[in-house]
Amino acid sequence: TLTGPLGDKDDPAALYPAVHTRHTSRYPFAETPLPDAVLTALAEAAHREHLSLSFASGWHLRSVMDLALEAEARNLTDAGAAADLARFTRRADDTRPATEGVPEYAFGPRRRIGKAPMRDFAGGKPIPGRPTVDFETAPHLALLSTARDRPLDWMRTGQATERVLLRATVEGVSTSFLTQALEWHDLRWPLRDPMSGNAYVQMVLRLGYGPPGTRTPRRPVHDVLDLEP
Ligand SMILES: Cc1cc2nc3c(=O)[nH]c(=O)nc-3n(C[C@H](O)[C@H](O)[C@H](O)COP(=O)(O)O)c2cc1C
């Protein structure tokens, strides 16, 4: 059924308009607290897909930020991570089709050292005209977690991520990802909140009030989806 007991805003049809307005926003967000009603709505969106969404605070928030910084530092000196970044992003002199790679205009400003751990899509290289700014000191970070780590959990994570991001967009909340620590086996485990009972952190999101981000190109549908007649 497309409608449910949690109210209209959880109806996938109500989330649909946000598909066109949701973008990853790599800009600083205000540290203004998010209203409890919004936090509850986002957690319910995750529960719909059998995931838990927890908001890191206090020592746990500091620990999640430290783990992301550690991952970011490793990425800057790791040849594999540098190659991944080069494939995943698009620089001005890129010769691939225009749909390949996150374009420079979506990188957002460069983070001043010592603030919220944003992944630097420029890999530390200078981009002319790119400003350097302060990000949040205490960002709103949300962790999507599962009790187990099966392919089913990974699929549900994708669905939960989509629901949470779209619901946030409907609520006027901007979002970005902070997944660096998840990519290092030894940094993923300590990310979890030991009080939560959910061992496997699957996704780390940054939430807040701020610029909505920028639209980026998509590959043509027939490049990514085979439809049987
Ligand atoms: C599994 C996954 C992990 C991601 N990790 C990051 C990240 O660590 N930092 C970041 O800036 N964007 C991250 N992204 C966001 C993608 O770069 C983004 O979705 C892509 O650039 C498309 O832009 P859009 O979200 O605005 O449509 C991640 C996306 C996915 C699906």
Side-chain angles (χ1 to χ4, degrees):
T1 163
L2 287 177
T3 55
L6 293 177
D8 282 344
K9 282 186 173 170
D10 285 288
D11 179 342
L15 296 177
Y16 179 69
V19 168
H20 302 284
T21 52
R22 181 216 60 82
H23 307 298
T24 299
S25 174
R26 298 184 186 86
Y27 291 90
F29 298 160
E31 291 193 30
T32 323
L34 301 176
D36 285 345
V38 170
L39 301 182
T40 304
L42 297 176
E44 281 173 357
H47 284 155
R48 284 263 171 150
E49 305 293 348
H50 310 279
L51 265 82
S52 84
L53 184 77
S54 60
F55 301 94
S57 65
W59 69 268
H60 186 223
L61 175 61
R62 284 192 297 278
S63 162
V64 171
M65 287 168 66
D66 284 347
L67 290 163
L69 280 173
E70 166 67 20
E72 186 77 342
R74 290 188 194 179
N75 286 349
L76 288 178
T77 53
D78 181 86
D84 271 353
L85 190 68
R87 257 196 314 275
F88 201 71
T89 53
R90 178 173 193 82
R91 303 299 297 269
D93 54 358
D94 204 309
T95 53
R96 295 174 298 170
T99 48
E100 300 304 300
V102 180
E104 276 180 0
Y105 64 72
F107 288 5
R110 191 165 167 268
R111 162 181 73 90
R112 215 184 296 279
I113 300 299
K115 302 289 176 188
M118 299 293 295
R119 187 192 298 262
D120 186 2
F121 270 14
K125 299 195 189 86
I127 296 180
R130 188 182 186 209
T132 302
V133 304
D134 284 330
F135 278 78
E136 306 92 287
T137 306
H140 300 303
L141 298 185
L143 279 64
L144 277 165
S145 313
T146 52
R148 300 172 66 187
D149 201 25
R150 304 158 296 174
L152 176 64
D153 300 300
W154 306 336
M155 190 195 73
R156 286 174 169 169
T157 298
Q159 297 183 170
T161 301
E162 185 168 4
R163 269 193 190 268
V164 170
L165 294 178
L166 293 177
R167 183 62 198 259
T169 305
V170 167
E171 300 290 346
V173 172
S174 296
T175 56
S176 72
F177 299 73
L178 210 94
T179 53
Q180 298 94 314
L182 292 172
E183 293 158 15
W184 294 90
H185 186 69
D186 59 323
L187 301 184
R188 183 185 178 202
W189 179 246
L191 269 180
R192 78 202 185 288
D193 176 358
M195 305 300 283
S196 77
N198 272 317
Y200 297 98
V201 177
Q202 304 285 358
M203 178 51 87
V204 183
L205 299 174
R206 184 178 67 110
L207 309 162
Y209 296 108
T214 319
R215 190 167 187 272
T216 52
R218 288 294 182 272
R219 290 178 183 161
V221 172
H222 59 79
D223 274 12
V224 291
L225 187 68
D226 286 327
L227 290 174
E228 298 292 333

